[in-house]
Amino acid sequence: MLSRTTVIAASLSVSAGSANPSKSNYSRLLGLNNNLSYTASNPVIVSSNSNFASFAWNTSNNSKYTKSRMERFTTRASPQPLTNADELIGSVQTFIFDCDGVIWKGDKLIDGVPETLDLLRSKGKRLVFVTNNSTKSRKQYGKKFETLGLNVNEEEIFASSFAAAAYLKSINFPKDKKVYVIGEEGILKELELAGYQYLGGPEDGGKKIDLKPGFLMEHDENVGAVVVGFDRNVNYYKIQYGTLCIRENPGCLFIATNRDAVTHLTDAQEWAGGGSMVGAIRGSTQREPLVVGKPSTFMMDYLANDQLNLINDRFGILKSQICMVGDRLDTDILFGQNGGCKTLLVLSGVTTLSVLQSPNNSIQPDFYTNKISDFLSLKATTV
């Protein structure tokens, strides 16, 4: 197999920092310069017109954190169908699973999942569940797992709603600043747990703008970040409010939980994903979002270095001993590749075999299979 090349990703220069900045543990996990801190009064502005400020991205370091997508793809050999599950399981100590399209579709559990997870746990494997869906908090996702009959601890779950709050902590986002949310309850709950003030979210879902002649919409000038996630009640009020905060509040951050094109609200069809909400704000502000969900490596670095000690020299665990399992090429598989992990694509969700094998597809997993329950049936071939 061709070796992966090093990806040089972009990290946001929010401010030049002070002479003695406070160092954040999360910044180390991100690979960010420890001298970076949030300073709304001193953003790095590279151009400004009509109250619109654009912020410089610092690409001078080798941070693994990506602002929205890889700056280039890695050339890889063609993916191989998984024929020997035992060999893969034996080479891996930690499995990171996407949820939607891998564990469930909508509210329906995919066949064979409970038995597969039990098998991996019986072999001493560590399991982690990562989702770009920001509508629920980690605690709420824990209840969903329980409802589906799966025994998963809250500490094993990492949602993009949690990642948004963790990212704000990583840059020492001031507690006296507010966060405007275009999204659902999951983001609000994680921001509250992190101690941040917020406004927007479901509360603004029913608000309308009366566009009378001369009408000027006001916004809170103390909003220092706009977080955009999947929102089933997105409306023009939210789009305009978020736009005003980003364009007119100095140093205001534009953070996206993910840019997924589609999601599985039901098991009957695909539905417009969080990327459609992010796209609306990107279009109105002409700003690129800072993405904290997959394929950004923020969650991978957090997993590897903080919560679960997935990478720890005392135990000799390497990223090559982690396998990312997902159904999307541009989020799940790219997420694993950006983190230096093995990757397994399952065809139980978004990606079809024809898409995977298309000459237009530049993202190739190490292996692919139909669904994760293939772990139960694919054994070593007898020689």
Side-chain angles (χ1 to χ4, degrees):
M1 180 169 296
L2 298 178
S3 62
R4 299 185 179 95
T5 59
T6 302
V7 176
I8 299 177
S11 62
L12 179 61
S13 294
V14 180
S15 77
S18 60
N20 295 295
S22 59
K23 294 183 178 180
S24 167
N25 228 6
Y26 290 91
S27 293
R28 176 183 58 79
L29 304 182
L30 278 164
L32 293 176
N33 186 325
N34 282 330
N35 290 328
L36 291 179
S37 61
Y38 178 93
T39 308
S41 61
N42 188 27
V44 179
I45 302 177
V46 295
S47 67
S48 178
N49 59 72
S50 303
N51 294 323
F52 168 71
S54 64
F55 295 83
W57 289 89
N58 176 12
T59 56
S60 61
N61 60 37
N62 290 330
S63 167
K64 296 172 185 174
Y65 184 71
T66 58
K67 63 178 180 179
S68 61
R69 57 184 179 273
M70 280 181 60
E71 292 184 354
R72 67 175 184 270
F73 292 119
T74 301
T75 302
R76 300 177 59 81
S78 298
Q80 301 297 314
L82 183 65
T83 58
N84 188 345
D86 286 345
E87 184 178 356
L88 176 61
I89 293 172
S91 69
V92 169
Q93 295 196 21
T94 300
F95 282 91
I96 301 178
F97 291 100
D98 176 47
C99 296
D100 196 3
V102 178
I103 304 298
W104 59 64
K105 271 191 173 183
D107 290 322
K108 184 178 179 181
L109 196 65
I110 293 175
D111 291 343
V113 167
E115 296 84 356
T116 304
L117 300 184
D118 287 345
L119 169 70
L120 295 176
R121 290 191 191 279
S122 71
K123 292 180 177 293
K125 306 304 176 182
R126 182 183 284 109
L127 307 184
V128 180
F129 302 87
V130 177
T131 175
N132 265 356
N133 192 327
S134 62
T135 60
K136 295 181 175 64
S137 65
R138 292 203 292 175
K139 187 176 184 67
Q140 290 172 313
Y141 270 113
K143 292 180 179 178
K144 178 168 184 174
F145 277 100
E146 184 180 355
T147 299
L148 293 173
L150 300 176
N151 183 22
V152 175
N153 296 324
E154 184 179 326
E155 292 74 21
E156 296 176 310
I157 304 168
F158 291 84
S160 61
S161 52
F162 170 79
Y167 175 75
L168 291 173
K169 281 188 174 182
S170 78
I171 60 170
N172 296 321
F173 185 77
K175 293 296 178 72
D176 60 346
K177 284 286 182 180
K178 298 177 184 177
V179 180
Y180 184 72
V181 177
I182 299 175
E184 300 192 15
E185 189 179 15
I187 299 174
L188 304 187
K189 286 186 175 295
E190 294 294 357
L191 289 174
E192 185 175 2
L193 287 172
Y196 290 115
Q197 305 175 66
Y198 60 82
L199 62 158
E203 185 177 315
D204 285 356
K207 294 183 179 179
K208 296 181 179 180
I209 300 175
D210 186 8
L211 294 174
K212 296 181 292 187
F215 174 74
L216 176 69
M217 182 173 175
E218 307 222 354
H219 70 285
D220 193 326
E221 296 180 357
N222 202 36
V223 170
V226 175
V227 175
V228 184
F230 183 72
D231 190 338
R232 282 167 286 197
N233 294 302
V234 67
N235 56 24
Y236 192 62
Y237 179 93
K238 292 183 180 182
I239 293 172
Q240 176 65 3
Y241 201 102
T243 298
L244 290 173
C245 291
I246 293 170
R247 293 184 61 171
E248 299 187 8
N249 291 2
C252 185
L253 303 175
F254 174 17
I255 299 171
T257 59
N258 68 84
R259 298 180 81 162
D260 292 358
V262 297
T263 188
H264 291 110
L265 298 179
T266 68
D267 61 350
Q269 66 180 154
E270 293 179 346
W271 300 79
S276 58
M277 294 83 193
V278 174
I281 301 300
R282 179 182 178 274
S284 61
T285 62
Q286 294 297 291
R287 283 266 301 277
E288 287 292 334
L290 192 152
V291 184
V292 295
K294 298 172 293 184
S296 156
T297 59
F298 175 74
M299 285 197 285
M300 180 69 75
D301 290 339
Y302 186 91
L303 288 169
N305 296 287
D306 191 76
Q307 281 295 96
L308 296 179
N309 268 334
L310 296 185
I311 313 291
N312 193 312
D313 292 338
R314 288 176 301 168
F315 302 106
I317 301 176
L318 305 173
K319 284 190 176 180
S320 60
Q321 293 174 310
I322 300 175
C323 182
M324 175 65 208
V325 183
D327 68 313
R328 297 173 186 257
L329 293 166
D330 60 346
T331 55
D332 302 325
I333 301 307
L334 199 52
F335 175 66
Q337 290 177 357
N338 286 348
C341 306
K342 290 184 172 69
T343 55
L344 172 66
L345 177 77
V346 291
L347 303 176
S348 52
V350 170
T351 305
T352 62
L353 184 59
S354 61
V355 169
L356 172 64
Q357 296 177 338
S358 168
N360 297 322
N361 170 40
S362 59
I363 306 172
Q364 302 290 347
D366 293 319
F367 304 100
Y368 69 89
T369 193
N370 289 320
K371 53 189 181 298
I372 66 169
S373 59
D374 289 343
F375 280 160
L376 301 172
S377 56
L378 294 174
K379 303 295 182 181
T381 303
T382 302
V383 179

